[in-house]
Amino acid sequence: LKVEVHEKQGIKNEMKHFTDRSGFLAFASSNPSKNSNTLLLAYSRLQPDFRSRHPLQLILPEDGAFRESLMKQAASLGLSQQLMMIDGADDSKLMECMTNARVFILPSLREGFGLPAIEAAAAGMLVLASDIDVLREVMKEGAWYFDPRSAESLAEMMQSIEADQLI
């Protein structure tokens, strides 16, 4: 696991363990179909006190340009204090992240199979997934579904998890 220091942007850079499983976990990608921008927009719509209680961990590919772009977007949305970016997690670190977070978010516009959602569910995580055919087919009733084109839809679902005392 490689975590880089980025003090100028204020993005949290240390690996944080959510022993109370209060956080969110997602993959971020420069591929537009993975919908990372909508995820950040949705998270930014949550109240700051909610974000403080439920930080978002993003697993990133080792792509410096994408990381910088994502950091700038996060900073412009005021997410500097509740967002952690984790570079290039291997399988063991990925499982550690899944074990320590409570909710996995898969905001993709398109997916080949949806394996990350299956792995997250197998790790005992609540899965919030895009309402797309492949994820409905794979996850059936094992996920909560939201409109992947609507940051508001995802934000409302994230809020409802706490209201339903699932996080």
Side-chain angles (χ1 to χ4, degrees):
L1 180 69
K2 180 176 80 176
V3 181
E4 297 177 18
V5 177
H6 293 277
E7 293 300 323
K8 67 180 182 183
Q9 295 292 336
I11 302 294
K12 286 190 177 184
N13 52 37
E14 73 277 2
M15 178 68 183
K16 178 177 179 180
H17 298 282
F18 301 113
T19 55
D20 60 358
R21 298 192 75 180
S22 64
F24 296 99
L25 176 67
F27 292 102
S29 171
S30 60
N31 182 337
S33 72
K34 298 304 180 184
N35 213 12
S36 299
N37 291 337
T38 298
L39 173 60
L40 288 183
L41 285 172
Y43 193 65
S44 75
R45 292 184 178 185
L46 302 170
Q47 293 297 317
D49 62 320
F50 180 93
R51 294 191 316 251
S52 292
R53 289 189 308 276
H54 310 295
L56 173 61
Q57 292 183 91
L58 291 177
I59 307 290
L60 302 175
E62 295 197 24
D63 177 350
F66 172 65
R67 183 186 227 291
E68 289 300 317
S69 171
L70 200 65
M71 286 176 58
K72 287 178 185 173
Q73 181 186 9
S76 74
L77 293 170
L79 300 178
S80 299
Q81 297 306 309
Q82 300 87 26
L83 183 66
M84 282 164 270
M85 296 184 180
I86 303 162
D87 290 326
D90 61 19
D91 288 344
S92 66
K93 289 296 179 185
L94 178 57
M95 287 311 295
E96 182 179 347
C97 290
M98 287 184 164
T99 300
N100 292 319
R102 175 66 184 115
V103 179
F104 181 75
I105 303 172
L106 189 58
S108 300
L109 297 170
R110 288 181 299 284
E111 273 295 324
F113 182 71
L115 188 58
I118 295 168
E119 291 174 333
M125 299 180 78
L126 177 62
V127 176
L128 304 185
S130 293
D131 192 0
I132 58 177
D133 290 343
V134 67
L135 294 178
R136 284 257 182 206
E137 182 177 335
V138 170
M139 294 302 295
K140 307 223 182 293
E141 294 184 18
W144 290 21
Y145 298 95
F146 61 90
D147 178 355
R149 298 192 184 278
S150 168
E152 190 62 37
S153 172
L154 176 53
E156 287 173 6
M157 183 156 295
M158 294 168 84
Q159 285 281 151
S160 71
I161 290 170
E162 184 181 60
D164 291 343
Q165 299 180 356
L166 296 173
I167 190 170

